[in-house]
């Protein structure tokens, strides 16, 4: 083992209380950044969950639509113009909107209605745990997620309620389809969705366009925009990006999460810098001895950097364990924390940069050491 590493290790572990303070600072900082960025990624995924699970190759929507939950309307006669374009296999109308759900007890709660042509399979409920998609073709049939049973005042298949004073019956149950707004999703056939949301006949919120296998997506998109007035045509990737941008930055949610992450980095850097500086100051005589023995300043700088790197590795390892525990605890919540391998790699690099940057104050202190100090002890 290199001597420089040995000296750094012993300096670091000589004062265990100071080491504990350093590690706690790193762990606090990285866990805070992990939670903030995990919420950012989790929020970003939840706002696009409907787009991710649709069968669309292209989305046709009213011009100016900001996000999936922005319920503007277009004429469904545009569907026939879309179908007339070479390369379009299907154009499926989707109707969305908010409505009031009346429980058997008489209490009411808002729900978010999603209606699609169930036979065409444009935007259907997924992860079914009870019932079948085909059951939603029946009159009054709807699908809800079981995590919202208490919120909706129901217990499962066969439960009844009302939407806009009209009866509905639960015919299918999903697991894990949660809304980031906490408003329960209710899936149904597109015609019933118009009735329950008050959307006029002949209107829809979106057209989900499916293309033939050999179709040129770019060419079809240009024809759609040319043939249909006052609409936008987006790919799923573009629609996802637009929705994320609106909810994360248009509402200020993303800025708040980034501000929390920045606060964590600042706090962690200050704590680590203070402890490394104090540790270096305490060992100034030892560093002066090394200088008197002929060690270069560069060698002493390496000792301090190794101390910082060891602190970073120990702190990050503990922070990673805490972060994974938090992820497991939030898996079933309305806004789960999401940690990707890329995020973990970025956090590790951040930890290294933070600790190395914090060591600068200690290095500045060491630059002032004169070898003669050892003879004045």
């Amino acid at each position: 083992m290199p001597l420089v590493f040995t000296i750094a290790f012993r300096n670091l572990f000589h004062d265990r209380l100071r080491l504990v303070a350093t590690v706690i600072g790193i762990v606090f900082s990285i866990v805070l950044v992990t939670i903030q960025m995990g919420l950012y990624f989790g929020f970003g995924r939840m706002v696009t969950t409907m787009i991710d699970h649709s069968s669309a190759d292209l989305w046709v929507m009213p011009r100016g639509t900001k996000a999936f939950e922005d319920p503007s309307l277009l004429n469904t006669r545009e569907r026939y113009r879309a179908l007339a374009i070479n390369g379009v296999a299907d154009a499926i109308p989707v109707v969305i909107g908010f409505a009031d759900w009346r429980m058997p007890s008489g209490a009411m709660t808002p729900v978010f209605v999603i209606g699609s042509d169930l036979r065409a399979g444009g935007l259907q409920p997924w992860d079914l745990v009870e019932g079948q998609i085909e059951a939603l073709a029946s009159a009054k049939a709807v699908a809800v997620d079981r995590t919202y049973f208490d919120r909706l005042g129901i217990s499962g298949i066969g439960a009844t309620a009302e939407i806009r004073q009209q009866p509905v019956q639960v015919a299918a149950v999903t697991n894990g389809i949660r809304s980031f707004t906490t408003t329960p999703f209710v899936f149904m056939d597109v015609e019933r969705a118009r009735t329950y949301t008050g959307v006029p006949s002949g209107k829809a919120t979106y057209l989900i366009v499916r293309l033939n296998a050999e179709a040129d997506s770019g060419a079809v998109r240009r024809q759609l925009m040319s043939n249909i007035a006052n609409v936008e045509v987006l790919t799923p990737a573009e629609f996802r990006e637009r929705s994320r941008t609106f909810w994360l930055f248009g509402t200020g949610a993303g800025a708040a999460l980034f501000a929390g992450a920045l606060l964590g980095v600042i706090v962690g850097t200050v704590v680590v810098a203070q402890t490394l500086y104090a540790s270096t100051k305490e060992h100034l005589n030892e560093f002066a001895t090394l200088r008197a023995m002929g060690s270069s300043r560069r060698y002493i700088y390496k000792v301090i950097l190794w101390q910082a790197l060891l602190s970073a590795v120990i702190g990050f390892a503990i922070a990673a364990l805490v972060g994974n525990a938090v992820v497991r605890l939030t898996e079933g919540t309305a806004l789960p924390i999401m940690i990707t391998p890329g995020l973990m790699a970025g956090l590790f690099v951040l930890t290294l940069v933070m600790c190395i940057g914090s060591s600068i104050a200690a290095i500045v202190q060491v630059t002032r050491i004169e070898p003669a100090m050892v003879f004045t002890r």
Side-chain angles (χ1 to χ4, degrees), residues 60 77-86 88 91 207 209 220 224 227-228:
V60 178
R77 65 171 177 266
E78 314 294 2
R79 174 173 182 262
Y80 302 103
R81 295 182 181 178
L83 290 172
I85 295 174
N86 186 36
V88 174
L207 289 178
V209 176
V220 172
L224 285 168
N227 292 0
I228 306 176

Side-chain angles (χ1 to χ4, degrees), residues 209-222:
V209 176
R210 287 179 178 170
L211 304 180
N212 295 322
E214 68 280 1
D216 182 340
S217 177
V220 172
R221 180 181 182 180
R222 287 190 292 271

Side-chain angles (χ1 to χ4, degrees), residues 18 21-22 267-281 358-359 361-362:
R18 185 168 285 121
T22 302
V267 170
T269 302
V270 170
V271 171
V272 176
Q274 286 181 332
T275 53
L276 284 175
Y277 178 81
S279 176
T280 302
K281 189 174 182 179
S358 299
S359 68

Side-chain angles (χ1 to χ4, degrees), residues 221-241:
R221 180 181 182 180
R222 287 190 292 271
Q223 290 185 49
L224 285 168
M225 295 179 68
S226 175
N227 292 0
I228 306 176
N230 298 318
V231 300
E232 293 182 82
V233 183
L234 302 181
T235 65
E238 291 171 337
F239 197 18
R240 277 193 290 268
E241 184 61 27

Side-chain angles (χ1 to χ4, degrees), residues 284-285 287-293 368-377:
L284 280 179
N285 288 326
F287 287 125
T289 301
L290 288 174
R291 291 283 288 124
M293 294 171 59
R368 300 171 183 171
I369 293 177
E370 292 296 334
M373 282 183 61
V374 71
F375 303 110
T376 63
R377 295 179 58 180

Side-chain angles (χ1 to χ4, degrees), residues 21-336:
T22 302
V23 171
I24 288 175
I26 296 171
V27 170
F28 173 80
S29 174
I30 297 305
V31 168
L32 180 57
V33 175
T34 299
I35 291 174
Q36 295 295 316
M37 297 307 298
L39 285 171
Y40 175 84
F41 285 114
F43 188 79
R45 183 180 65 177
M46 289 196 73
V47 300
T48 63
T49 185
M50 292 299 162
I51 304 171
D52 295 337
H53 287 87
S54 74
S55 60
D57 293 309
L58 294 170
W59 287 79
V60 178
M61 63 194 69
R63 187 173 297 279
T65 298
K66 299 180 181 66
F68 176 82
E69 293 78 11
D70 187 13
S72 302
L73 297 176
L74 50 77
N75 290 318
T76 52
R77 65 171 177 266
E78 314 294 2
R79 174 173 182 262
Y80 302 103
R81 295 182 181 178
L83 290 172
I85 295 174
N86 186 36
V88 174
D90 205 350
I92 307 164
V94 174
V95 171
I96 64 171
F98 290 94
D100 289 326
W101 173 285
R102 182 182 293 274
M103 309 174 201
S105 64
M108 298 181 66
T109 187
V111 295
F112 192 79
V113 173
I114 299 174
S116 181
D117 188 339
L118 300 172
R119 292 167 296 182
L123 183 53
Q124 299 178 341
W126 61 95
D127 290 340
L128 290 176
V129 292
E130 294 183 71
Q132 301 292 329
I133 291 292
E134 292 75 18
L136 297 180
S138 304
K140 304 182 294 183
V142 298
V144 298
D145 197 85
R146 64 182 179 186
T147 57
Y148 290 117
F149 279 1
D150 291 340
R151 177 84 172 271
L152 298 174
I154 58 177
S155 57
I157 292 287
T160 58
E162 291 183 358
I163 299 179
R164 290 175 67 95
Q165 292 81 50
Q166 299 183 62
V168 296
Q169 185 174 37
V170 177
V173 176
T174 63
N175 179 48
I177 304 181
R178 298 181 63 92
S179 166
F180 70 95
T181 63
T182 73
T183 303
F185 290 126
V186 178
F187 292 87
M188 62 185 68
D189 180 76
V190 65
E191 291 300 330
R192 287 197 302 278
R194 289 192 178 97
T195 301
Y196 292 140
T197 58
V199 172
S201 178
K203 297 285 187 178
T205 314
Y206 302 107
L207 289 178
I208 289 179
V209 176
R210 287 179 178 170
L211 304 180
N212 295 322
E214 68 280 1
D216 182 340
S217 177
V220 172
R221 180 181 182 180
R222 287 190 292 271
Q223 290 185 49
L224 285 168
M225 295 179 68
S226 175
N227 292 0
I228 306 176
N230 298 318
V231 300
E232 293 182 82
V233 183
L234 302 181
T235 65
E238 291 171 337
F239 197 18
R240 277 193 290 268
E241 184 61 27
R242 176 177 292 191
S243 293
R244 287 196 186 104
T245 299
F246 172 75
W247 286 113
L248 287 170
F249 301 105
T251 63
L257 294 173
F258 279 121
L262 179 61
L263 176 63
V265 173
I266 293 173
V267 170
T269 302
V270 170
V271 171
V272 176
Q274 286 181 332
T275 53
L276 284 175
Y277 178 81
S279 176
T280 302
K281 189 174 182 179
E282 183 179 317
H283 293 92
L284 280 179
N285 288 326
E286 286 81 353
F287 287 125
T289 301
L290 288 174
R291 291 283 288 124
M293 294 171 59
S295 297
S296 65
R297 287 181 176 178
R298 181 184 181 89
Y299 186 85
I300 296 175
Y301 298 163
K302 288 182 179 179
V303 173
I304 296 174
L305 289 174
W306 268 111
Q307 287 181 227
L309 292 174
L310 285 170
S311 300
V313 171
I314 296 170
F316 178 79
I318 298 173
L321 293 175
V322 175
N324 286 328
V326 171
V327 169
R328 289 194 294 271
L329 289 173
T330 61
E331 281 178 345
T333 63
L335 185 55

